[in-house]
Amino acid sequence: MRMLAVLANVFLLQLSGAAVAQEDPYKSAVDSWLNGSEAVGLQGLSEAASQGNTSAQMILGQIDRDTVPGGFSDYLINHQARDQLLRAPDPDKGTVNWLLALSNPALQKHGEAIFGYRVGRQPISNAIALQTHGEIEGAEYVLWNTLNNGRFDLINSMPSENYGLSEAGFLKWIEAYMARENKAITMRAFVEESNPKRVSGLLGLKRLARLLNLNQHFSDEANQFTTVMLGRGSDLPESVDLVRLNESISRISETDKYLNIVKRYCDSCEGETVDYDCVVQALEIIGGYKTLMSIRTPVEGSIDQATFMNSNRSVEIFAQLVNNMRRHYSRGIRSSCIAANLKAKI
């Protein structure tokens, strides 16, 4: 009996070792995509997906599905090669998005929720579906975008059973603001706040400001900050204090994961002099904080949100965004850092 127990333990160890060995290529592929070679990482994920790894399938499906992060990659520019790398083979269509061909049938609704949120005509239903399946950041983005498209009626008619969607960070910030007696918004107080969703909350409030007669409560510095976040840096007055504005952005980026991406991009050029135009013009080129918010984890259940946002890949995606959207930007480049990055891409 003792010998049988020993043999059983050896057998179990071999099985567990085989499982680790099977998982390692997937983990290596994720690590490479996040902080190493995009080509190597995506190739590894493609191989793992073909072998039935549903996490790899979901990551590739979302990269293929979203403009960001997949569509702005210099590496994914050949459409035929892109399809073969990111999509599942299909006998009738040639290839199909992995989110619609997941190996695990139990994940079908999850895949459909991630795949369908952009094309659906019912954004609140799409957001609730994402929320239900644990795609919290994606759900909040859809909700925020709905508000900023002026669909206040849809936000107001959100059903009571929304699986916590009404607790979205930017909505809680707006709710707290509306409840307080002092409505004044100064940059000094705003910088000191710890709420990581305060920028998206402020921009949501700005969208409501005319309707609720709130513009009078924004200080000049708060208006300048929102101007930058809206991607309208060229509209800043000549009298703007760029040094102070950048100090505020830098402080906020300590708790705001999106602004932290821009700061890391601009810090890569940091030398003896500080480029105060970098953050302002970078956001101007890509279209503001709204576009910045679209840089997020491909699938939250497969790659942790914080891990993705703190990775090199998020900064590289932002750099690719600036590089590609520069083609549609008519103004001259004021930032020496952006100019250097654009030159390096040529």
Side-chain angles (χ1 to χ4, degrees):
M1 291 294 290
R2 185 176 180 184
M3 181 58 70
L4 286 174
V6 170
L7 288 173
N9 284 333
V10 169
F11 179 66
L12 288 172
L13 283 171
Q14 287 177 333
L15 282 180
S16 64
V20 170
Q22 274 188 330
E23 190 65 14
D24 277 348
Y26 163 72
K27 289 183 177 178
S28 296
V30 172
D31 290 341
S32 183
W33 187 70
L34 288 175
N35 293 303
S37 166
E38 180 182 31
V40 172
L42 289 179
Q43 187 60 51
L45 286 170
S46 181
E47 292 170 5
S50 298
Q51 293 166 8
N53 186 303
T54 51
S55 291
Q57 291 170 359
M58 294 180 80
I59 292 170
L60 292 176
Q62 180 67 328
I63 291 174
D64 175 62
R65 176 69 187 87
D66 257 351
T67 301
V68 178
F72 285 91
S73 168
D74 296 332
Y75 174 61
L76 297 174
I77 219 153
N78 182 308
H79 291 291
Q80 184 176 359
R82 186 182 194 278
D83 281 0
Q84 292 175 350
L85 184 68
L86 298 183
R87 296 166 67 86
D90 184 275
D92 299 320
K93 302 176 183 177
T95 60
V96 65
N97 186 286
W98 273 114
L99 292 169
L100 304 178
L102 294 171
S103 298
N104 185 351
L107 295 173
Q108 180 183 350
K109 293 297 183 183
H110 193 161
E112 290 175 354
I114 300 173
F115 183 83
Y117 80 91
R118 280 185 182 271
V119 294
R121 298 185 64 182
Q122 298 179 325
I124 300 301
S125 296
N126 295 335
I128 291 173
L130 286 171
Q131 181 83 6
T132 304
H133 291 287
E135 299 295 320
I136 308 301
E137 289 293 323
E140 183 158 342
Y141 175 76
V142 173
L143 191 64
W144 185 89
N145 199 41
T146 303
L147 173 68
N148 281 270
N149 283 338
R151 295 305 307 269
F152 311 128
D153 57 323
L154 292 178
I155 302 294
N156 194 47
S157 63
M158 193 189 312
S160 56
E161 188 180 2
N162 53 56
Y163 305 95
L165 184 63
S166 58
E167 300 298 305
F170 81 93
L171 281 182
K172 298 305 289 184
W173 187 91
I174 293 174
E175 183 182 344
Y177 170 80
M178 296 304 296
R180 76 191 197 198
E181 187 175 346
N182 180 11
K183 294 290 191 292
I185 297 179
T186 65
M187 279 311 294
R188 176 178 293 182
F190 188 74
V191 166
E192 294 298 327
E193 287 189 40
S194 59
N195 188 329
K197 302 288 186 178
R198 64 189 183 279
V199 177
S200 54
L202 181 69
L203 293 178
L205 184 69
K206 191 67 174 175
R207 189 69 178 83
L208 292 162
R210 182 181 295 180
L211 181 68
L212 301 177
N213 194 28
L214 297 173
N215 277 320
Q216 59 184 315
H217 301 298
F218 284 69
S219 70
D220 289 344
E221 286 187 332
N223 277 325
Q224 290 168 8
F225 176 78
T226 54
T227 296
V228 173
M229 296 301 110
L230 290 169
R232 300 170 186 164
S234 60
D235 293 338
L236 288 172
E238 290 291 332
S239 59
V240 63
D241 187 341
L242 282 178
V243 176
R244 190 164 177 172
L245 179 60
N246 272 271
E247 286 176 353
S248 297
I249 292 172
S250 181
R251 285 283 307 281
I252 294 168
S253 73
E254 293 173 7
T255 51
D256 186 290
K257 58 196 172 191
Y258 295 109
L259 280 183
N260 188 258
I261 293 174
V262 191
K263 186 175 186 303
R264 283 187 285 151
Y265 168 84
C266 292
D267 283 352
S268 67
C269 304
E270 198 75 13
E272 294 181 1
T273 58
V274 178
D275 185 352
Y276 294 112
D277 273 315
C278 184
V279 172
V280 175
Q281 190 161 39
L283 287 171
E284 191 178 328
I285 290 171
I286 71 163
Y289 194 86
K290 176 179 180 177
T291 307
L292 192 59
M293 284 177 70
S294 66
I295 302 177
R296 58 182 185 278
T297 314
V299 181
E300 292 172 52
S302 299
I303 300 177
D304 176 72
Q305 177 75 3
T307 300
F308 173 77
M309 297 302 282
N310 292 326
S311 71
N312 294 337
R313 182 59 49 207
S314 62
V315 180
E316 179 60 27
I317 290 167
F318 180 77
Q320 289 165 351
L321 269 172
V322 174
N323 183 49
N324 282 273
M325 298 182 82
R326 167 68 178 100
R327 301 166 191 171
H328 310 288
Y329 178 76
S330 59
R331 296 185 175 87
I333 299 298
R334 306 182 302 271
S335 164
S336 58
C337 180
I338 294 174
N341 277 313
L342 292 174
K343 187 176 180 181
K345 288 283 186 180
I346 296 175

